[in-house]
Structure formats: C-alpha cells, structure tokens
C-alpha cells in the first residue's frame, strides 16, 4: 500500500522554464515532507523540506508547496537548468515517528538545453 | 567530513544464499536507516537503528534483519535470497532519532540475485 505516490514517472521541461513535480499522500498523520534528488549511481540527496504548519517553503530556485486538505505537495523549480535532470523523490513522515519515511516512486526530470 | 559509505557497491548472489551489506554513517551520526529501491516502487523503508537498537521496522519478511554496532556502523542481512530481492539497497544516516532531521544517503549496494 503506497502511502506516498508520484503519479508521473517522468517529466521533460525546456531549460529556463518551470518544472513542477507532484506528490500525493494518503496518511493524514504525515506532517513532515521532504524532497530528494537522485543522480545515477549516487544516493538521494536532500533538497528541501516542509512541515505541516507551513504551506510553502522556498530555497533559491526550489519551492515546495503543501496543500494539506488535498494531501498534495509539489516541488517547483524555477528556472530549470540541465543540471537539475535527475530523479526526484518525495518523502513523508509523521512527527511521532520522524525517522520512518515513506517515499514515492520518483519522477525522472529531464531538462532540455 | 566523509559521507555515508556502503560496501560492497555491487553484489551478485544466487537464490537461497544469504548476504550481508555494510553501512558506515557520517561521523557523529547515530541513526542509520535502510531502504530497498526497486523500479516503480521507490524507496521502501526496511528498518532504522539508533544507538544499537532497532527503533522502526518496515513491512518486510523476517529474512531481512539488521544490527548496529557501538561505532554506529550498521549491517543488513538477507537470508534465503529470492529473485525479488534484487534491488538497490540504500542506507541513510542522521544525527537524531525521533527528530525532524534530514537523512544523508550512501550510494547504495546493487544486489542481483540469479
């Protein structure tokens, strides 16, 4: 039972445009969310997080939006760069069990020059 | 500061065998979590260790086990390997247990079961 879902396995975007990666979750107890980026042959690296007390968190070109009522979060990358091409995973956890993360299946982003 | 290291990086085993994977966390990190990544399934949580104790466990059969040593290094063991165990096994370390702390992942061990 996938509690975190990324329904788009891949996304292709032109350099300079916005990339929007989506993630849905089913467990209403989740209150902490993260995005990871993964390059081939490397482990995922932490990108940005958001807790349920906020609905937006920005870090440079990366912004994560959280819609708690829809149990949906999204990652916006503006402007997209070819170096952003990677697989992006969203992950969620509940505050009573922070170190048990549930991951989505990933979205492969391709930013075309 | 050195990152999370995992050994071996690649492994080929046959059905029925057992395998042990090793993970060395970032210095000072006491929490180590293990994940299995298969195509289409994303990362699935196996278990988490903190101070040599298993704190969390995912929904995997008892063939999957682990342990953590006093220096925080962790090992994961899979017994009676099945073809479906072929996957990338990732470990992640973090400073705290039970806190909102980011995890740092190792490069993974690619296990192929034939």
């Amino acid at each position: 039972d996938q509690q975190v879902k990324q329904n788009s396995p891949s996304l292709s975007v032109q350099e300079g445009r916005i990339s929007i990666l989506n993630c849905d979750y089913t467990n209403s107890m989740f209150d902490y969310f993260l995005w990871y980026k993964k390059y081939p042959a490397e482990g995922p690296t932490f990108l940005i997080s958001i807790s349920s007390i906020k609905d937006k968190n920005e870090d440079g070109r990366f912004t994560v939006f959280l819609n708690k009522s829809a149990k949906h979060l999204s990652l916006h990358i503006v402007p997209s760069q070819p170096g952003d091409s990677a697989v992006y995973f969203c992950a969620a956890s509940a505050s009573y069990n922070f170190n048990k993360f549930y991951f989505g299946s990933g979205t492969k982003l391709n930013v075309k020059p | 500061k050195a990152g999370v290291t995992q050994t071996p990086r690649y492994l080929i085993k046959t059905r029925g065998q057992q395998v042990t994977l090793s993970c060395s966390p970032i210095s000072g990190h006491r929490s180590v979590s293990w994940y299995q990544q298969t195509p289409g399934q994303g990362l699935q949580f196996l278990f988490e260790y903190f101070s040599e104790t298993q704190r969390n466990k995912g929904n995997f059969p008892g063939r999957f086990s682990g342990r953590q040593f006093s220096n925080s290094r962790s090992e994961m063991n899979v017994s009676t390997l099945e073809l479906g165990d072929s996957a990338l096994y990732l470990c992640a370390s973090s400073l705290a247990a039970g806190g909102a702390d980011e995890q740092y992942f190792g490069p993974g061990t690619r296990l192929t079961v034939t």
Side-chain angles (χ1 to χ4, degrees):
Chain A
D1 178 31
Q2 287 270 101
Q3 297 191 48
V4 177
K5 294 180 183 177
Q6 292 176 257
N7 292 318
S8 299
S10 63
L11 175 68
S12 190
V13 167
Q14 202 66 40
E15 180 180 7
R17 306 294 293 269
I18 184 171
S19 294
I20 300 176
L21 296 98
N22 293 302
C23 180
D24 297 293
Y25 61 97
T26 57
N27 190 337
S28 57
M29 298 299 290
F30 288 153
D31 54 11
Y32 185 62
F33 306 89
L34 308 92
W35 284 93
Y36 286 87
K37 181 165 79 170
K38 185 180 186 301
Y39 293 116
E42 295 181 15
T45 54
F46 169 75
L47 197 54
I48 192 168
S49 64
I50 189 167
S51 73
S52 60
I53 60 172
K54 300 173 81 171
D55 53 20
K56 178 182 170 182
N57 188 26
E58 280 181 84
D59 184 2
R61 297 184 298 113
F62 302 91
T63 303
V64 56
F65 295 92
L66 176 62
N67 182 334
K68 290 185 286 294
S69 60
K71 295 193 181 69
H72 176 84
L73 65 154
S74 60
L75 174 69
H76 292 209
I77 307 173
V78 183
S80 302
Q81 300 173 353
D84 296 330
S85 297
V87 177
Y88 289 79
F89 292 97
C90 66
S93 70
S95 53
Y96 63 86
N97 213 357
F98 262 134
N99 276 14
K100 186 170 183 177
F101 287 93
Y102 295 84
F103 281 76
S105 53
T107 296
K108 185 173 184 178
L109 174 65
N110 178 34
V111 180
K112 297 177 286 188
Chain B
K1 188 188 266 192
V4 179
T5 57
Q6 291 186 248
T7 56
R9 292 294 308 277
Y10 302 92
L11 205 49
I12 300 175
K13 291 284 189 179
T14 56
R15 273 182 300 176
Q17 286 187 309
Q18 76 161 19
V19 68
T20 299
L21 313 181
S22 180
C23 172
S24 292
I26 291 172
S27 177
H29 285 193
R30 295 168 64 193
S31 171
V32 174
S33 298
W34 287 89
Y35 293 86
Q36 181 195 66
Q37 184 188 3
T38 53
Q41 289 292 314
L43 282 74
Q44 294 183 281
F45 177 82
L46 279 152
F47 26 66
E48 182 216 353
Y49 286 87
F50 182 81
S51 292
E52 302 177 65
T53 301
Q54 188 181 89
R55 290 187 66 251
N56 281 305
K57 193 176 191 314
N59 297 325
F60 278 81
R63 300 185 296 107
F64 291 81
S65 63
R67 58 179 176 166
Q68 187 180 33
F69 302 94
S70 58
N71 61 358
S72 294
R73 189 177 71 84
S74 177
E75 286 183 348
M76 190 192 95
N77 186 75
V78 188
S79 62
T80 321
L81 283 165
E82 299 176 1
L83 295 178
D85 297 332
S86 295
L88 179 68
Y89 290 87
L90 292 159
C91 82
S93 77
S94 60
L95 271 172
D101 194 26
E102 295 90 9
Q103 301 179 97
Y104 295 83
F105 282 85
T109 294
R110 172 75 62 185
L111 171 65
T112 302
V113 182
T114 62

